């Protein structure tokens, strides 16, 4: 990767210092200035390289003499290298925006921030574009600076991968507050939709429930009762061991969880581990791109140096989650779990109060929530305790609840779906 390693480590150290002392809001200004500088520098490189690749492709298409056609192979090689370099630059943009994500997750709950990642339909909103030449950026920056100088944690949304609602986000209150800033007073259907969506998100976070939100008739928030337990110390130990040994390191912090870290060139040894642990397990192979958003940022889970190793591809990380252990723990409290896989291969966990009667209450956990066991290095025991508490609230036995035909058919549909194994 072609980035300022020393500057990156410095930014991560500041980020970790901020997590330990959240009141040190003054760290936010130099930290965001560094991210802005690196994003703009990388954007400039992307623009120049794209133009270079475009010219090479144009030149390759020209009619040439037989002698000139011998150069086509060489041109193809140059174009391929240019595209590979572009993918690296795009990865750099993602990694630097992870620093901005870290700021947001230090001050706000991940359960709140995910609502600033999703659009009205419940799907991820479009990622932010380039900072360079963005109309209104100076106005957004001034507002951020004013807030930080007043001691209020404020982050520019464009410096993050996760915050996609609003231009600036105020992080100091009980819930995040997205703010949309327009360089013009003109309004149109697009800006109206943006303001309406912000109002919907803020209203939902404030009230705790909403109708017709993210495609559901009624969405309600439920308080988290248990303090989350994580194994970040174990995954860092695993990464450090793999890099020190230049090989494969395996750790199991608790029954049902296995962490594997390995260095480049150790794929064959890792495949042997894969054969041993993958049967009956959900395999989470961490990637340094948007596929794990909006999980807790790896830059906060890993130490600064381990984050550097992972960002540069020097170390890979894989987590095995044993479904049988989760199911056994849930059965022990008298509930009936079942891991499912739909037509698209997406996994879910269904918990019923009566194995033979879905109308006594059913609760389902989607794939993104399950995968957080791997992406956020959470404890299975903590995860199950929380699910059991929530699922218990969905018991309908003895409550005299009746269902219309349409709802009954939908619930019966929940019984369909293939087992994960």
């Amino acid at each position: 990767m072609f980035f300022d390693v020393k500057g990156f480590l410095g930014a991560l150290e500041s980020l970790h210092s901020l997590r330990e002392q959240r009141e040190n809001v003054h760290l936010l200004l130099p930290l965001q200035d560094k991210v802005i500088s690196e994003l703009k520098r990388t954007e400039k490189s992307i623009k120049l390289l794209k133009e270079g690749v475009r010219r090479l492709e144009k030149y390759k298409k020209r009619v040439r003499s037989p002698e000139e056609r011998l150069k086509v192979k060489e041109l193809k090689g140059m174009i391929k290298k240019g595209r590979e370099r572009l993918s690296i630059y795009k990865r750099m943009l993602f990694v630097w925006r992870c620093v901005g994500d870290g700021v947001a997750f230090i001050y706000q709950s991940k359960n709140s921030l995910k609502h600033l990642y999703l659009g009205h339909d419940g799907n991820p909103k479009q990622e932010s574009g380039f900072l360079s030449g963005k109309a209104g950026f100076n106005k957004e920056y001034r507002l951020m600076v004013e807030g930080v100088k007043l001691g209020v944690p404020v982050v520019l949304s464009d410096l993050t991968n996760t915050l996609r609602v609003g231009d600036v986000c105020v992080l100091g209150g009980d819930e995040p507050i997205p703010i949309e800033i327009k360089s013009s007073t003109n309004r149109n259907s697009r800006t109206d939709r943006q303001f309406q969506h912000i109002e919907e998100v803020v209203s939902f976070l404030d009230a705790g429930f909403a109708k017709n939100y993210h495609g559901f008739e009624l969405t309600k928030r439920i308080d988290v009762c248990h303090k989350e337990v994580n194994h970040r110390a174990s995954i860092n130990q695993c990464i450090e061991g793999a890099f020190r040994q230049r090989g494969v390191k395996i750790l199991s912090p608790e029954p049902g969880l296995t962490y594997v870290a390995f260095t480049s060139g150790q794929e064959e040894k890792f495949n042997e581990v894969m054969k041993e642990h993958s049967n009956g397990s959900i395999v989470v192979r961490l990637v340094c791109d948007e596929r794990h958003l909006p999980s807790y940022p790896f830059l906060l889970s890993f130490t600064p140096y381990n984050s550097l190793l992972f960002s540069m591809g020097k170390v890979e990380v894989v987590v095995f989650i044993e479904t049988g252990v989760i199911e056994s723990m849930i059965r022990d409290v008298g509930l009936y779990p079942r891991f499912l896989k739909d037509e698209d291969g997406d996994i879910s966990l269904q918990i019923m109060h009566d194995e033979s009667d879905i109308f006594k209450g059913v609760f389902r956990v989607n794939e993104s929530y399950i995968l957080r066991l791997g992406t956020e290095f959470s404890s299975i025991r903590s995860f199950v305790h929380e699910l059991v508490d929530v699922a218990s609230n969905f018991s309908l036995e003895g409550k005299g609840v009746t269902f219309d035909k349409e709802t009954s058919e939908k619930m019966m549909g929940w019984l369909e779906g293939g087992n994960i194994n």
Side-chain angles (χ1 to χ4, degrees), residues 266-278:
Q266 299 295 321
E267 283 282 350
E268 189 173 334
K269 288 185 178 179
F270 167 72
N271 288 336
E272 294 175 7
V273 176
M274 185 81 169
K275 291 176 184 177
E276 181 181 349
H277 290 87
S278 61

Side-chain angles (χ1 to χ4, degrees), residues 332-352:
D332 286 345
V333 297
L335 296 172
Y336 300 91
R338 183 185 175 199
F339 275 96
L340 304 171
K341 183 180 288 187
D342 65 18
E343 298 174 346
D344 298 322
D346 292 333
I347 297 166
S348 61
L349 171 59
Q350 184 166 288
I351 304 174
M352 297 173 61

Side-chain angles (χ1 to χ4, degrees), residues 196-409:
Q196 181 183 358
H197 184 50
I198 287 179
E199 289 175 4
E200 289 175 354
V201 171
V202 172
S203 175
F204 173 75
L205 293 176
D206 180 55
F209 68 91
K211 293 183 178 180
N212 301 316
Y213 185 72
H214 289 174
F216 294 96
E217 291 181 16
L218 176 64
T219 303
K220 182 179 179 181
R221 301 184 83 186
I222 299 175
D223 291 334
V224 175
C225 302
H226 293 270
K227 183 178 180 181
E228 185 177 287
V229 178
N230 65 70
H231 297 298
R232 291 173 198 153
S234 295
I235 189 59
N236 278 290
Q237 183 183 348
C238 198
I239 294 172
E240 289 159 10
F243 189 69
R244 186 169 54 249
Q245 299 165 13
R246 298 297 192 271
V248 179
K249 179 70 175 178
I250 304 171
L251 282 177
S252 181
E254 69 173 296
L257 273 180
T258 301
Y259 295 160
V260 182
F262 60 98
T263 53
S264 55
Q266 299 295 321
E267 283 282 350
E268 189 173 334
K269 288 185 178 179
F270 167 72
N271 288 336
E272 294 175 7
V273 176
M274 185 81 169
K275 291 176 184 177
E276 181 181 349
H277 290 87
S278 61
N279 189 30
S281 293
I282 297 171
V283 182
V284 184
R285 188 161 185 165
L286 271 72
V287 290
C288 193
D289 60 32
E290 67 280 355
R291 277 173 282 179
H292 296 318
L293 295 176
S295 290
Y296 189 77
F298 73 89
L299 295 186
L300 292 178
S301 294
F302 299 160
T303 64
Y305 191 69
N306 286 344
S307 292
L308 175 66
L309 294 176
F310 180 72
S311 298
M312 296 182 72
K314 300 294 185 183
V315 174
E316 294 199 47
V317 175
V318 180
V319 179
F320 296 96
I321 306 164
E322 295 180 39
T323 58
V325 171
I326 295 175
E327 289 176 333
S328 178
M329 291 175 68
I330 295 173
R331 287 195 191 97
D332 286 345
V333 297
L335 296 172
Y336 300 91
R338 183 185 175 199
F339 275 96
L340 304 171
K341 183 180 288 187
D342 65 18
E343 298 174 346
D344 298 322
D346 292 333
I347 297 166
S348 61
L349 171 59
Q350 184 166 288
I351 304 174
M352 297 173 61
H353 287 266
D354 187 325
E355 196 170 22
S356 59
D357 188 353
I358 197 169
F359 294 98
K360 288 184 180 179
V362 60
F363 174 72
R364 186 175 285 187
V365 186
N366 66 18
E367 181 175 89
S368 63
Y369 195 83
I370 298 168
L371 294 185
R372 285 186 171 190
L373 278 169
T375 60
E376 299 180 355
F377 314 103
S378 302
S379 160
I380 282 182
R381 187 166 297 278
S382 170
F383 172 79
V384 169
H385 285 172
E386 189 63 47
L387 289 188
V388 167
D389 279 356
V390 175
S392 297
N393 292 325
F394 285 81
S395 175
L396 301 178
E397 192 168 12
K399 294 184 179 178
V401 177
T402 57
F403 301 94
D404 57 31
K405 182 179 179 181
E406 183 180 357
T407 304
S408 297
E409 289 175 351

